[in-house]
Amino acid sequence: MTDASAPTKTILRALKGETQAVPPVWMMRQAGRYLPEYRATRAQAGDFLSLCYNPDLAAEVTLQPIRRYGFDAAILFADILLIGQALGAKLWFAEGEGPRMETVTDAAGVAALRPAGEVHETLAPIYETLKILTRELPRETTLIGFAGAPWTVATYMVAGRGTKDQGPAHAFIARDREGFAALISVLEAATVEYLSAQVEAGAEVVKLFDSWAGSLKGQDFDDFALKPTARIIAALKARHPDLPIIAFPREAGERYIGFAKATGADCVALDNSVSADWAAEHVQKDGCVQGNLAPHHMVEGGEALTAETKRIVRAFSNGPHIFNLGHGITPDANPDNVQRMIDAIRG
């Protein structure tokens, strides 16, 4: 007899802790500049933010890699910094240079941000994109919503742009730890509101991207990466008890160990700075892991791509695993290499 309530979608099964002979697969940034169809839609939108806030076009680019490759999941097309914009910090994208934000560098700047409950007006188009996707996606495809984790979003809000070392945010902590904690608190509350609304609009899984978690050490990692993630997950699970949540504390290294248990995450996504064998021994014992092929293989291709893909599948074959890259696919990747990776997984 089978459990009638058990999920049938492969990603949901992995997130429930099921070991599958063939792991489900999707890719971070699978809707992106490496695809000619994405570039055409992006040109139609005019600019990146216009694409994010146009539900029809955002849904279209989300669907493109599903049509082309048949991934097991589609991830909402949006950007982690939209939450900062929704809180009142101006956001724009400089062509060829990436995001720029109005800076929040002290307690007064934090106090001037909008309350968490007011983010929905700005973010309403994102929820509309999800509603379109719930209608348009194949029945077997899982729909993933996401947000940036508070620390990572805060690093952009404090610096006004991406930085190599997240130095401005670390400097804020050093001069006013309480003020910085207040910014994290605002972002936490807003992230719960945002992700909860995504679930109500149709997201079946949500993922927290803490892209710069690796720059936090010791107590700072606990206070600004681990504990905020745990509080967000607890709040979301209180509202949506059956919601699976993936956490990605990128480059956490040894701190990946026990991260799922400490935060309540159903799955920990792994970057490619840790080996699959190490992660299978130390991280997968606590549940589902996601990862962790190095993105450069999608540029270089060849037998090395096939061999490394199969090696990762083997390393994680004794527990629940979602195959993915260790970071986002890069614009210079060859679309043919994505198919080669999928064939190696499913072949």
Side-chain angles (χ1 to χ4, degrees):
M1 260 179 64
T2 57
D3 179 359
S5 67
T8 55
K9 295 183 180 184
T10 54
I11 288 201
L12 299 181
R13 286 163 58 191
L15 291 166
K16 280 278 191 187
E18 184 180 329
T19 303
Q20 296 170 85
V22 177
V25 55
W26 67 279
M27 283 191 322
M28 289 181 276
R29 297 196 190 130
Q30 64 189 26
R33 287 175 289 172
Y34 75 104
L35 288 177
E37 56 267 45
Y38 169 87
R39 295 194 297 271
T41 309
R42 163 83 183 262
Q44 188 184 341
D47 62 71
F48 180 76
L49 278 177
S50 297
L51 179 54
C52 289
Y53 285 120
N54 182 317
D56 290 326
L57 295 184
E60 168 59 24
V61 294
T62 304
L63 289 162
Q64 286 167 353
I66 306 304
R67 292 190 200 113
R68 187 186 267 253
Y69 300 113
F71 284 117
D72 294 294
I75 186 164
L76 165 71
F77 184 84
D79 189 83
I80 64 168
L81 299 183
L82 302 185
I83 193 90
Q85 185 178 36
L87 285 166
K90 290 186 179 69
L91 171 67
W92 65 99
F93 278 73
E95 200 58 48
E97 293 179 24
R100 295 285 182 272
M101 290 201 87
E102 180 183 14
T103 57
V104 177
T105 56
D106 55 25
V110 176
L113 294 171
R114 289 185 192 129
E118 292 182 14
V119 298
H120 301 302
E121 186 180 348
T122 302
L123 298 170
I126 310 307
Y127 313 144
E128 193 55 42
T129 301
L130 286 159
K131 289 174 187 172
I132 294 169
L133 290 166
T134 60
R135 298 193 299 268
E136 299 291 331
L137 277 170
R139 287 180 63 180
E140 68 274 12
T141 311
T142 301
L143 179 54
I144 302 176
F146 76 94
W151 160 251
T152 290
V153 177
T155 65
Y156 287 95
M157 292 178 76
V158 174
R161 62 192 297 164
T163 57
K164 279 191 167 61
D165 59 358
Q166 293 73 59
H170 288 290
F172 191 161
I173 293 169
R175 71 174 175 271
D176 183 4
R177 194 176 186 90
E178 201 173 307
F180 187 81
L183 174 57
I184 293 292
S185 185
V186 169
L187 286 165
E188 264 180 45
T191 302
V192 171
E193 290 294 327
Y194 183 33
L195 289 177
S196 186
Q198 288 187 32
V199 174
E200 286 160 13
E204 299 168 275
V205 176
V206 296
K207 180 171 176 179
L208 270 174
F209 284 86
D210 214 348
S211 305
W212 301 124
S215 75
L216 291 166
K217 306 299 176 205
Q219 192 63 44
D220 287 351
F221 184 90
D222 289 338
D223 289 349
F224 303 127
L226 189 148
K227 290 176 184 175
T229 297
R231 289 190 292 262
I232 289 168
I233 290 173
L236 286 170
K237 297 264 189 188
R239 295 188 191 188
H240 312 281
D242 298 323
L243 174 68
I245 301 174
I246 303 169
F248 183 35
R250 190 169 79 95
E251 295 188 348
E254 293 281 332
R255 298 304 303 267
Y256 277 127
I257 300 172
F259 195 85
K261 280 188 171 174
T263 60
D266 298 279
C267 179
V268 175
L270 305 159
D271 68 87
N272 47 278
S273 71
V274 296
S275 78
D277 291 318
W278 176 87
E281 182 182 352
H282 296 288
V283 186
Q284 195 182 29
K285 63 183 172 62
D286 291 336
C288 185
V289 292
Q290 179 179 282
N292 68 334
L293 182 70
H296 69 79
H297 285 292
M298 310 313 288
V299 180
E300 295 156 12
E303 283 304 316
L305 163 58
T306 301
E308 183 64 4
T309 299
K310 289 182 173 179
R311 192 188 68 76
I312 290 169
V313 171
R314 277 196 307 275
F316 289 126
S317 62
N318 293 321
H321 175 219
I322 299 167
F323 196 98
N324 208 308
L325 305 184
H327 200 220
I329 188 168
T330 54
D332 55 343
N334 183 338
D336 293 342
N337 290 335
V338 177
Q339 190 60 53
R340 184 171 190 138
M341 173 192 76
I342 290 170
D343 292 343
I345 295 164
R346 295 176 175 166

